[in-house]
Amino acid sequence: MKYSERIEDIAKRVNEALNRFLPTAEGPQKRLFEAMRYSAMAGGKRVRPMLVLEFCRMCGGKEEQALPFACAVEMIHTYSLIHDDLPCMDDDDFRRGRPSCHVQYDEATALLAGDALLSLAFETGLCNNMQSGVLAQNALRAMGLLAKASGGQGMVGGQMIDLLSEGQHIPLELLETMHRGKTGAMIRAAAAGGCILAGADETRVQAADAYAAKLGLAFQIVDDILDVTGNSQTLGKPAGSDVGNRKSTYVTHLGLEEARRLAGRLSQEAVDCLRVFGEERAFLSDFTLRLLNRDH
Amino acid sequence: MKYSERIEDIAKRVNEALNRFLPTAEGPQKRLFEAMRYSAMAGGKRVRPMLVLEFCRMCGGKEEQALPFACAVEMIHTYSLIHDDLPCMDDDDFRRGRPSCHVQYDEATALLAGDALLSLAFETGLCNNMQSGVLAQNALRAMGLLAKASGGQGMVGGQMIDLLSEGQHIPLELLETMHRGKTGAMIRAAAAGGCILAGADETRVQAADAYAAKLGLAFQIVDDILDVTGNSQTLGKPAGSDVGNRKSTYVTHLGLEEARRLAGRLSQEAVDCLRVFGEERAFLSDFTLRLLNRDH
């Protein structure tokens, strides 16, 4: 199967599973379920669930062992976008080319839809392991990792730092801490979680984690470069949303050339981390280098 | 130990554990951690964690087996209050006699503090079982129950129904569905979760669930009665906050006398459900009947 077909194929299976795990839009709280579906099924590249599934597969696991966790990761990503778009946060009226959740519905519904997606993520990841033969202790560990990655020491913590440093110049170290929280933590949990659910040994879990940490950083740097040189397309935000801000980026800190060099080095190091997965790593290596060389 | 001393003693141990599980207010996202602590340590009766601990104890479990779960339940309760108070929801400036979280901090910080508390609840309940000897499958089941209870089919679903029926007369059946979601689901998860973590048999888990369903309903009815006859003090909202609304309650549906009769019957049925727990049930029976006869 060609690279692009394979990417599409994975996204299709993730979408099918999400559709299965999301509540059907009926009953007295129908509006809530509609809003959850509106945002969760709005497309998106499904990069995080793809990482879950690929790491599970590379460790010899079956896809059904990782699908609930993959959907949990995507639900958390979706909830973070809904809350990020709210008027008290980024106040974005559009998301993925459509009205954002609070514009399509209303603020209260969007707030609750985000809240419900976060709970549903944990329900999905916790309540669907028996059938697929995942060991309880592995499910517990992967979900614990996800809980930590999504919270105040991870994603939400990164959002808070972002909020506090709005429009300000911040030191490179804090910029990195912010990105490690905001996007890095969930990507790392996705990669490590996929391995854990497949019952992988500690060496592979650590390699996946190291890979994902480098991938997340490289992606962010490339994004900062594209913000200056052309189209940007972050893992979460709409293209170009940061243009015009006086905010710190890798480019303002390092300059274009040095930023490019750093992104290239991190991508190569990320690919190197995949060695322990043997021949099966070809697809993910390809994916990693394509991310570096993307032009949007 | 006297009843009131015992209630205070449990609340004290819950507060100590919460203090341990909450992040210390330091680092670049300090403001977030402060806001989480501000709301989580604001007092409150700690009814839900008390139920977790009591059911665990009545099933022969040790307190440390249930404390992380008890704190998880309370963190979710706290997050729901923070988000409930936001301007786009109930727009309440006060909570437990102090400025609500978004007044003390700001809307964005309050939103993120709620989000982070929900994730921290799962982290706390998922990552602290090995030391206390809880079986992985039991932790997984209890946390799965909590995830479901807190989401769109439970607490958040109830909040959505509440939002949609604001200021309207709604049928008794929908009123019950709303309360079963809004407060009942979490109380049931607390009671059943305490049993599950202690490794109780299915009979006890079901009895705890049935007890809690009746307790939740009885409490709500008494609350509706007190809203008319005197002071109210719900399990979540400040006293008297609903007075003056044209909204449906058990009293508008049933009248005072019939509502009193129903609350009495439900409390007695709740107490009856506790029989399977033998002599150990004395404290919780006492608690249940006191709730019925409270005057605020």
Side-chain angles (χ1 to χ4, degrees), chain A residues 140-194:
Chain A
L140 208 58
R141 183 179 170 201
M143 291 306 293
L145 216 62
L146 189 59
K148 184 160 191 183
S150 62
Q153 312 272 9
M155 186 181 74
V156 175
Q159 288 173 306
M160 188 74 217
I161 297 173
D162 196 13
L163 209 68
L164 291 170
S165 40
E166 223 172 80
Q168 284 176 50
H169 180 82
I170 57 171
L172 185 60
E173 203 196 340
L174 186 57
L175 182 73
E176 235 175 79
T177 304
M178 178 186 91
H179 288 308
R180 267 205 308 268
K182 223 180 146 186
T183 54
M186 286 292 291
I187 293 175
R188 288 171 65 183

Side-chain angles (χ1 to χ4, degrees), chain A residues 29 31-33 35-36 39 79 82-83 85-88 100-117, chain B residues 79-80 82-91 107 111 115 155-166:
Chain A
Q29 65 274 64
R31 186 178 173 84
L32 174 72
F33 297 155
M36 292 164 75
S39 292
Y79 120 76
I82 296 176
H83 282 190
D85 287 341
L86 284 171
C88 71
S100 43
C101 192
H102 67 276
V103 172
Q104 181 72 17
Y105 295 89
D106 55 80
E107 270 185 68
T109 302
L111 174 70
L112 293 179
D115 290 347
L117 277 168
Chain B
Y79 119 77
S80 79
I82 296 175
H83 281 191
D84 239 11
D85 288 341
L86 284 171
C88 71
M89 297 283 293
D90 289 354
D91 196 10
E107 271 185 66
L111 173 71
D115 290 347
M155 186 181 72
V156 175
Q159 288 172 306
M160 188 74 217
I161 297 173
D162 197 13
L163 208 69
L164 291 170
S165 40
E166 222 172 83

Side-chain angles (χ1 to χ4, degrees), chain B residues 177-238:
Chain B
T177 304
M178 179 186 89
H179 288 308
R180 268 206 308 267
K182 224 180 143 187
T183 53
M186 286 292 292
I187 293 175
R188 289 170 64 183
C195 299
I196 290 168
L197 291 168
D201 57 35
E202 217 42 40
T203 309
R204 289 175 178 225
V205 175
Q206 295 308 325
D209 182 67
Y211 161 84
K214 289 175 190 297
L215 176 79
L217 216 48
F219 191 94
Q220 187 56 52
I221 298 171
V222 173
D223 200 62
D224 286 351
I225 293 170
L226 291 171
D227 242 355
V228 177
T229 61
N231 302 312
S232 85
Q233 184 182 22
T234 70
L235 279 166
K237 286 173 294 178

Side-chain angles (χ1 to χ4, degrees), chain A residues 28-65:
Chain A
Q29 65 274 64
K30 182 171 176 239
R31 186 178 173 84
L32 174 72
F33 297 155
E34 272 176 12
M36 292 164 75
R37 285 189 164 269
Y38 176 80
S39 292
M41 302 305 284
K45 298 185 291 299
R46 314 300 192 200
V47 171
R48 292 163 187 77
M50 184 276 282
L51 289 174
V52 175
L53 298 182
E54 271 304 292
F55 276 100
C56 177
R57 187 189 63 75
M58 291 194 302
C59 294
K62 288 172 294 179
E63 184 164 286
E64 63 257 42
Q65 293 182 296

Side-chain angles (χ1 to χ4, degrees), chain B residues 16-218:
Chain B
E16 281 167 2
L18 275 172
N19 185 45
R20 219 163 50 235
F21 290 127
L22 284 163
T24 47
E26 54 190 21
Q29 64 274 64
K30 183 171 174 238
R31 185 176 172 85
L32 174 72
F33 297 154
E34 272 177 13
M36 291 165 75
R37 283 187 166 271
Y38 176 81
S39 292
M41 302 307 283
K45 297 184 293 298
R46 313 300 192 199
V47 171
R48 293 162 187 76
M50 184 275 282
L51 289 174
V52 175
L53 298 182
E54 271 304 291
F55 275 100
C56 177
R57 188 190 62 75
M58 292 195 301
C59 293
K62 288 173 293 180
E63 184 164 289
E64 64 258 41
Q65 293 181 296
L67 258 182
F69 185 81
C71 290
V73 170
E74 190 67 7
M75 287 172 190
I76 293 179
H77 178 54
T78 304
Y79 119 77
S80 79
L81 300 182
I82 296 175
H83 281 191
D84 239 11
D85 288 341
L86 284 171
C88 71
M89 297 283 293
D90 289 354
D91 196 10
D92 272 324
D93 284 353
F94 287 91
R95 166 70 63 185
R96 291 169 179 163
R98 301 199 301 168
S100 42
C101 192
H102 67 276
V103 172
Q104 182 72 16
Y105 295 89
D106 55 79
E107 271 185 66
T109 302
L111 173 71
L112 292 179
D115 290 347
L117 277 168
L118 182 51
S119 281
L120 184 63
F122 287 101
E123 184 185 340
T124 303
L126 290 167
C127 300
N128 294 285
N129 297 291
M130 300 248 268
Q131 316 90 308
S132 57
V134 171
L135 291 182
Q137 69 211 48
N138 290 340
L140 209 57
R141 184 179 169 200
M143 291 306 292
L145 217 62
L146 189 60
K148 183 159 193 182
S150 61
Q153 312 273 6
M155 186 181 72
V156 175
Q159 288 172 306
M160 188 74 217
I161 297 173
D162 197 13
L163 208 69
L164 291 170
S165 40
E166 222 172 83
Q168 284 175 50
H169 179 83
I170 57 171
L172 186 60
E173 204 197 339
L174 186 57
L175 183 72
E176 237 177 80
T177 304
M178 179 186 89
H179 288 308
R180 268 206 308 267
K182 224 180 143 187
T183 53
M186 286 292 292
I187 293 175
R188 289 170 64 183
C195 299
I196 290 168
L197 291 168
D201 57 35
E202 217 42 40
T203 309
R204 289 175 178 225
V205 175
Q206 295 308 325
D209 182 67
Y211 161 84
K214 289 175 190 297
L215 176 79
L217 216 48

Side-chain angles (χ1 to χ4, degrees), chain A:
Chain A
M1 208 186 285
K2 278 202 320 217
Y3 177 85
S4 60
E5 284 171 24
R6 190 153 166 187
I7 284 277
E8 274 174 41
D9 194 54
I10 294 174
K12 189 167 155 255
R13 292 201 307 279
V14 169
N15 288 338
E16 281 167 3
L18 276 171
N19 185 46
R20 220 164 48 234
F21 289 127
L22 285 163
T24 47
E26 53 190 21
Q29 65 274 64
K30 182 171 176 239
R31 186 178 173 84
L32 174 72
F33 297 155
E34 272 176 12
M36 292 164 75
R37 285 189 164 269
Y38 176 80
S39 292
M41 302 305 284
K45 298 185 291 299
R46 314 300 192 200
V47 171
R48 292 163 187 77
M50 184 276 282
L51 289 174
V52 175
L53 298 182
E54 271 304 292
F55 276 100
C56 177
R57 187 189 63 75
M58 291 194 302
C59 294
K62 288 172 294 179
E63 184 164 286
E64 63 257 42
Q65 293 182 296
L67 257 181
F69 185 81
C71 290
V73 170
E74 190 66 8
M75 286 172 191
I76 294 178
H77 178 52
T78 303
Y79 120 76
S80 78
L81 300 183
I82 296 176
H83 282 190
D84 240 10
D85 287 341
L86 284 171
C88 71
M89 296 284 293
D90 288 353
D91 196 10
D92 272 324
D93 285 354
F94 287 92
R95 169 68 64 184
R96 290 169 180 164
R98 302 198 303 167
S100 43
C101 192
H102 67 276
V103 172
Q104 181 72 17
Y105 295 89
D106 55 80
E107 270 185 68
T109 302
L111 174 70
L112 293 179
D115 290 347
L117 277 168
L118 182 50
S119 281
L120 184 62
F122 287 102
E123 183 187 341
T124 302
L126 291 167
C127 299
N128 295 284
N129 297 292
M130 299 248 267
Q131 316 90 310
S132 58
V134 171
L135 290 181
Q137 68 210 50
N138 291 340
L140 208 58
R141 183 179 170 201
M143 291 306 293
L145 216 62
L146 189 59
K148 184 160 191 183
S150 62
Q153 312 272 9
M155 186 181 74
V156 175
Q159 288 173 306
M160 188 74 217
I161 297 173
D162 196 13
L163 209 68
L164 291 170
S165 40
E166 223 172 80
Q168 284 176 50
H169 180 82
I170 57 171
L172 185 60
E173 203 196 340
L174 186 57
L175 182 73
E176 235 175 79
T177 304
M178 178 186 91
H179 288 308
R180 267 205 308 268
K182 223 180 146 186
T183 54
M186 286 292 291
I187 293 175
R188 288 171 65 183
C195 299
I196 291 168
L197 291 168
D201 58 36
E202 216 43 38
T203 309
R204 289 176 177 225
V205 175
Q206 296 307 326
D209 183 67
Y211 161 82
K214 288 173 190 299
L215 176 78
L217 216 50
F219 192 95
Q220 187 57 51
I221 299 171
V222 173
D223 200 61
D224 285 352
I225 294 170
L226 290 171
D227 240 356
V228 176
T229 62
N231 302 314
S232 85
Q233 182 182 21
T234 70
L235 280 167
K237 286 175 294 180
S241 67
D242 298 328
V243 179
N245 271 2
R246 271 179 10 87
K247 67 176 216 170
S248 298
T249 72
Y250 283 97
V251 177
T252 65
H253 270 288
L254 304 175
L256 258 181
E257 274 323 293
E258 183 57 26
R260 278 205 181 101
R261 226 174 349 250
L262 180 58
R265 205 188 72 213
L266 284 165
S267 297
Q268 191 51 56
E269 287 174 5
V271 167
D272 290 347
C273 290
L274 296 176
R275 276 204 200 116
V276 294
F277 299 98
E279 294 298 307
E280 297 296 339
R281 76 185 187 277
F283 172 72
L284 214 51
S285 296
D286 197 2
F287 163 81
T288 311
L289 296 173
R290 280 170 189 256
L291 267 188
L292 175 68
N293 295 310
R294 73 203 155 92
D295 57 4
H296 64 275

